[in-house]
Amino acid sequence: MSAIATTILSFIRPGDVILHSQPLYGGTETLVTRTLSAYGVAAVGFADGVDEAGVRAAAEEAAALGRLAVIMTETPSNPLNTLVDLKLVRRIADEIAARQQHRPIIVCDNTLLGPVFQHPLACGADVSVYSLTKYVGGHSDLIGGAALGSETLMKPIRLLRGAFGTQLDPHSCWMIGRSLETLALRMERADSNAGIVAEFLRDHPRVATVHYLPFLPDGPQRRVFESQCSAPGSTFSFDVKGGLAEAFSCLNRMQIIKLAVSLGGTESLACHPATTTHSGVPADVRARIGVSDATIRLSIGIEHADDLLADLTQALQAG
Ligand SMILES: Cc1ncc(COP(=O)(O)O)c(C=O)c1O
């Protein structure tokens, strides 16, 4: 959140507006829609990041409120992996720029797929931000963030980082260096495990839906997935048949997959978004975005896939 907050604050002034995709990670959503409103910065969201008319309408609404300074995106989003078309966002940002003498800075939270499976800067974003706490750190033993972009854009971010003191401590920096050595190996193994687990769940009689990017039907989301991401990664959700009781029963039976709300570590984790990460989201909004009481989010790690399937087999048993 330090990296995200320092990046956004580097490019906004009172009276500005932030356009953002929905859903965002809860901390980012709170920063953009609540914290910054106290500093005279408004926010307008768009729910479908691949729908040109919807994104354009939200951008026009934002530009009518003041200078559109930053476009904050997160793709794939958490927990249902909805996507934002970064090329589309760039096109609209260029159109707005021609009118307001400032091109909005496009920020992309690349925590879920990057830097191995998605490169936002190549797709039109200006700054790629990360929670390094997740896949990059990868061992659930550090908290950190990063912002990457051109030297020109990094300059104000670096200055504000110094002013606020949001530098990472030396020990965590050393651990990040260690983690980078195995980043691609870990993400590739987790990605292939996730494919095995997702296919197992899709065929399971007690599972209703699997929200996994390769299972997207033909349509704009699928086209964006194929053009923007080189793999689906290993964080995705599924809905069990039933509701809260069935989801809790499955979660409580898990023995190898640990219950925790983080993601991106070597160990597989599961959580119940409706009562944890998304408990602050009103029930009607949760229903609209598809987070139900039956939804379980998985972050698949690098264990042997057979162990994960065995654990899910017994966790999904009736009774
Ligand atoms: C997509 C995404 N962005 C940002 C964050 C914030 O990361 P941190 O906890 O490292 O500040 C998280 C944390 O869950 C996240 O999932």
Side-chain angles (χ1 to χ4, degrees):
M1 284 312 304
S2 294
I4 292 170
T6 307
T7 299
I8 292 177
L9 282 160
S10 299
F11 299 109
I12 54 167
R13 304 288 175 268
D16 282 350
V17 187
I18 298 173
L19 177 69
H20 65 92
S21 59
Q22 288 170 316
L24 290 172
Y25 166 67
T28 313
E29 168 111 22
T30 304
L31 172 73
V32 166
T33 63
R34 294 199 215 155
T35 315
L36 293 177
S37 70
Y39 296 84
V41 176
V44 175
F46 56 88
D48 185 342
V50 302
D51 172 40
E52 177 147 9
V55 178
R56 180 166 278 114
E60 291 299 340
E61 187 188 333
L65 294 174
R67 186 183 74 140
L68 177 49
V70 167
I71 304 180
M72 180 68 214
T73 62
E74 186 179 319
T75 183
S77 73
N78 174 19
L80 296 177
N81 286 357
T82 50
L83 299 172
V84 176
D85 182 348
L86 292 171
K87 287 200 173 81
L88 163 66
V89 170
R90 178 59 182 259
R91 241 184 2 259
I92 291 173
D94 286 341
E95 286 168 23
I96 300 271
R99 293 185 347 227
Q100 66 170 22
Q101 316 303 325
H102 165 77
R103 191 167 69 64
I105 304 297
I106 302 168
V107 183
C108 177
D109 185 331
N110 198 29
T111 298
L112 252 62
L113 286 188
V116 176
F117 300 133
Q118 182 171 261
H119 302 108
L121 303 185
C123 299
D126 299 298
V127 183
S128 188
V129 291
Y130 288 87
S131 167
L132 299 176
T133 313
K134 310 297 179 340
Y135 287 98
V136 178
H139 297 73
S140 308
D141 57 3
L142 63 86
I143 292 175
L148 290 82
S150 69
E151 202 174 342
T152 313
L153 290 179
M154 285 302 106
K155 207 168 167 191
I157 298 174
R158 195 177 290 124
L159 278 173
L160 204 61
R161 180 185 67 174
F164 286 171
T166 51
Q167 297 94 337
L168 198 59
D169 66 279
H171 184 66
S172 298
C173 289
W174 175 80
M175 290 205 288
I176 290 286
R178 162 216 62 178
S179 293
L180 286 172
E181 293 172 12
T182 56
L183 176 59
L185 291 175
R186 285 184 283 106
M187 286 194 81
E188 278 156 16
R189 170 64 178 261
D191 175 75
S192 79
N193 273 353
I196 295 167
V197 169
E199 276 171 26
F200 165 83
L201 291 171
R202 181 174 58 178
D203 298 335
H204 198 284
R206 300 184 73 84
V207 172
T209 328
V210 184
H211 308 277
Y212 182 56
L213 288 167
F215 298 165
L216 281 170
D218 274 344
Q221 288 269 343
R222 184 168 189 100
R223 283 196 290 280
V224 171
F225 168 54
E226 284 171 355
S227 67
Q228 203 163 275
C229 321
S230 59
S234 70
T235 299
F236 66 96
S237 297
F238 68 100
D239 294 357
V240 290
K241 284 187 182 156
L244 194 72
E246 288 75 11
F248 275 21
S249 154
C250 174
L251 285 161
N252 287 335
R253 283 168 175 269
M254 289 178 183
Q255 290 175 12
I256 290 173
I257 302 172
K258 298 184 177 73
L259 301 194
V261 295
S262 193
L263 59 94
T266 49
E267 73 285 293
S268 294
L269 302 180
C271 78
H272 186 252
T275 54
T276 56
T277 53
H278 289 64
S279 57
V281 179
D284 58 320
V285 179
R286 257 191 275 131
R288 181 164 50 76
I289 63 175
V291 176
S292 80
D293 284 348
T295 305
I296 292 175
R297 187 189 77 188
L298 293 176
S299 165
I300 297 297
I302 64 168
E303 302 91 338
H304 198 295
D306 289 352
D307 290 335
L308 299 176
L309 297 190
D311 198 21
L312 286 165
T313 300
Q314 62 81 25
L316 283 163
Q317 263 167 19

